[in-house]
Amino acid sequence: MAKAQKNFVCSNCGAVTTKWSGRCDGCGEWNTIAEEKPLSSAGPTKKTLGGMRGKEIPLSKLSTKESPPPRTSSGLGEFDRVLGGGLVPASAILVGGDPGIGKSTLLLQAAAKFADAGLKVIYISGEEASAQVRMRAQRLGLSEAAVQLGAETNLRDILTTLEKQEPDLVIIDSIQTMWADNVESAPGSVSQVRAAAHELVTFAKTRGVSVVLVGHVTKEGQLAGPRVVEHMVDTVLYFEGERGHQFRLLRAVKNRFGPAHEIGVFEMTGDGLSEVTNPSALFLSERDQPAPGSVVFAGIEGTRPVLVEFQALVAPSPHAQARRTVVGWDGSRLAMILAVLEARCGIPFAGLDVYLNVAGGMKVSEPAADLAVAAALLSAREDAALPKDCVVFGELSLSGSLRPVGQTENRLKEAKKLGFSSAIAPAQSKAGEKSGMDMRLMSDLVGFVGEVFGAG
Ligand code: TYD
Ligand code: MG
């Protein structure tokens, strides 16, 4: 009976179930579950391996001398930073992102830089014809770069070519277009994407080749998303940004060779992506006058301080159910902060629409931004602007007290560098005096409301 079991796989997170449902229990996405044939190698047939043993594998001590991997810098500083200081040989990297966000552009530019740095680079495009890629290279002023170009989707042919050419770096654009002829399902399905990624990563590890896989983030269930191969690779980078903005963030969500959560900032221009070495100045550039509802948060992204502006708008709601709209920050965290403001400070938001936005298309996930969000909400509600030269940071607990956050010194240094002169921070924040900033330390939200906005 169990023989004829059907297999349903979520194309977003790869969760496997035995029956179809409209919503994946694993990741909560709708309409991403589709039936799929199990891989042809049926896996173990018996419960145990039995008495027959394989060959012994060599074991070694932890203390074996291992020098740090030699890294190659691309010269694109922001890209190298996100990789953890350059490209590690024989590493597998996944670059995910929405279609059209600029993945191919970024990787073509990086490929050219790595080729300049002396690596043998092959760029395999499964989506565009060679002529199209060449045209883009021309537009980017890279037509002289020593990158070898191939347009192919058949994995067997690609691996044969790579075996022959012995490159240092291969870029596969994109993993969803690759197909292995030993797997019986359509290109882009979870089995195909997994099989192709597995083959390429294994090839990379055994031949000492670095491989970059491009993966489209997909909203519909037809194509498997990059998340289904995240566990196979060493480094997972996501390229994100708002369509209307020219800024693009390359974010490391996993990195076996460097810090995760590191970001690289780029700007999409008429001739490709250019690096943004001082992102704080960029995210704040839209701000000239202090406005009610606008608060500057001194944040940390990866290892680097970044100042971002939170903007809030609070208005009487015409609807029975007031709106809560958030861009660039977590919606449930906003609900929590509204609840704390109401319960601990007696400031109700019922009947008021609340809009919260992070300027410049940036996404913030640090809890240290709690106080900045609370300040923006209060400032918008009371229609009172915070001083123009003031930054805010601190984590809020449900009791309404403020918790100190890490890297206070770096946050203050960055703020000072950008011309800010005062900071509102949790009471126990160390390193405040040394910074030369005017520190206003608060131990709880009630005190903060009293001091900054009068009695509230
Ligand atoms: P692309 O790299 O093709 O995106 P992806 O590979 O992630 O699907 O980028 C496509 C977008 O980038 C397209 O909308 C045009 C824009 N673009 C520029 O603005 N300037 C440029 O120099 C290039 C090459 C692309
Ligand atoms: Mg592309």
Side-chain angles (χ1 to χ4, degrees):
M1 193 178 79
K3 284 269 151 41
Q5 198 179 52
K6 288 189 170 178
N7 233 6
F8 292 89
V9 184
C10 168
S11 60
N12 183 47
C13 68
V16 181
T17 55
T18 50
K19 66 178 204 307
W20 188 88
S21 76
R23 184 167 190 250
C24 171
D25 288 335
C27 60
E29 283 293 319
W30 289 92
N31 250 345
T32 55
I33 294 184
E35 185 180 352
E36 218 164 80
K37 285 219 173 85
L39 285 181
S40 45
S41 65
T45 45
K46 292 197 186 126
K47 285 235 163 55
T48 72
L49 286 174
M52 280 275 283
R53 295 284 174 253
K55 67 176 195 298
E56 194 181 343
I57 55 169
L59 304 173
S60 61
K61 286 208 175 63
L62 277 178
S63 62
T64 314
K65 276 267 179 306
E66 202 72 66
S67 46
R71 293 176 183 262
T72 311
S73 293
S74 64
L76 262 180
E78 295 293 296
F79 190 67
D80 291 339
R81 166 211 296 282
V82 179
L83 289 177
L87 182 73
V88 176
S91 57
I93 299 159
L94 172 70
V95 177
D98 290 328
I101 202 76
K103 300 180 295 299
S104 304
T105 308
L106 175 71
L107 289 170
L108 192 60
Q109 286 183 257
K113 291 277 195 180
F114 279 121
D116 286 348
L119 298 189
K120 181 168 180 185
V121 185
I122 295 186
Y123 186 104
I124 305 281
S125 176
E127 296 184 348
E128 294 163 280
S130 300
Q132 269 174 299
V133 181
R134 261 195 299 266
M135 254 160 61
R136 171 175 312 172
Q138 238 158 43
R139 223 176 109 190
L140 298 171
L142 300 174
S143 35
E144 296 306 312
V147 177
Q148 309 242 50
L149 204 58
E152 184 54 67
T153 56
N154 184 335
L155 195 61
R156 200 181 285 274
D157 295 348
I158 291 171
L159 289 174
T160 308
T161 311
L162 297 182
E163 226 153 52
K164 189 97 187 284
Q165 296 281 338
E166 299 180 345
D168 300 302
L169 171 65
V170 183
I171 292 163
I172 303 289
D173 188 3
S174 65
I175 189 67
Q176 279 110 343
T177 53
M178 297 294 133
W179 61 280
D181 50 23
N182 60 332
V183 178
E184 271 184 54
S185 55
S189 64
V190 174
S191 332
Q192 278 289 1
V193 166
R194 275 205 182 132
H198 178 75
E199 290 278 354
L200 285 161
V201 171
T202 316
F203 178 85
K205 297 287 162 195
T206 51
R207 301 295 169 114
V209 176
S210 300
V211 56
V212 176
L213 308 176
V214 174
H216 293 293
V217 172
T218 53
K219 293 280 179 280
E220 298 84 30
Q222 276 75 24
L223 279 186
R227 278 181 62 187
V228 301
V229 296
E230 276 185 356
H231 62 282
M232 289 183 210
V233 296
D234 300 309
T235 303
V236 177
L237 310 178
Y238 277 96
F239 203 38
E240 34 187 68
E242 298 287 324
R243 291 246 163 173
H245 290 283
Q246 69 272 43
F247 321 127
R248 300 282 183 269
L249 297 184
L250 186 65
R251 191 185 291 274
V253 297
K254 161 182 168 181
N255 196 350
R256 290 189 184 140
F257 305 117
H261 308 298
E262 194 68 86
I263 61 164
V265 187
F266 298 87
E267 190 174 356
M268 184 60 99
T269 66
D271 34 43
L273 290 155
S274 62
E275 296 178 68
V276 175
T277 41
N278 188 355
S280 297
L282 189 86
F283 292 127
L284 296 179
S285 59
E286 296 165 23
R287 175 189 156 92
D288 28 80
Q289 283 303 311
S294 142
V295 169
V296 176
F297 163 56
I300 300 281
E301 289 289 338
T303 56
R304 145 166 86 170
V306 178
L307 301 190
V308 288
E309 181 187 341
F310 276 93
Q311 302 166 339
L313 179 67
V314 175
S317 176
H319 308 288
Q321 176 116 34
R323 286 186 77 121
R324 305 282 182 254
T325 304
V326 195
V327 179
W329 165 259
D330 181 21
S332 45
R333 198 119 192 139
L334 172 68
M336 189 193 98
I337 290 167
L338 290 173
V340 173
L341 280 170
E342 182 148 2
R344 307 296 169 198
C345 309
I347 302 173
F349 281 85
L352 296 171
D353 283 341
V354 175
Y355 302 89
L356 184 73
N357 176 40
V358 182
M362 176 81 180
K363 285 197 183 74
V364 179
S365 56
E366 257 193 303
D370 289 354
L371 186 59
V373 172
L377 294 171
L378 286 167
S379 160
R381 190 180 184 281
E382 307 298 318
D383 201 26
L386 250 64
K388 191 177 175 228
D389 61 354
C390 179
V391 295
V392 181
F393 57 89
E395 186 180 342
L396 206 55
S397 69
L398 287 181
S399 67
S401 64
L402 285 173
R403 279 192 234 147
V405 297
Q407 306 208 38
T408 304
E409 201 175 334
N410 283 342
R411 294 175 201 268
L412 293 174
K413 234 194 240 160
E414 178 79 359
K416 189 155 174 68
K417 200 169 92 191
L418 283 148
F420 289 83
S421 58
S422 71
I424 302 177
Q428 299 96 321
S429 298
K430 303 213 172 60
E433 312 82 50
K434 277 184 289 171
S435 68
M437 298 273 283
D438 175 16
M439 300 295 290
R440 298 166 76 184
L441 301 179
M442 312 281 165
S443 59
D444 59 22
L445 197 57
V446 178
F448 169 77
V449 173
E451 177 153 347
V452 181
F453 296 100

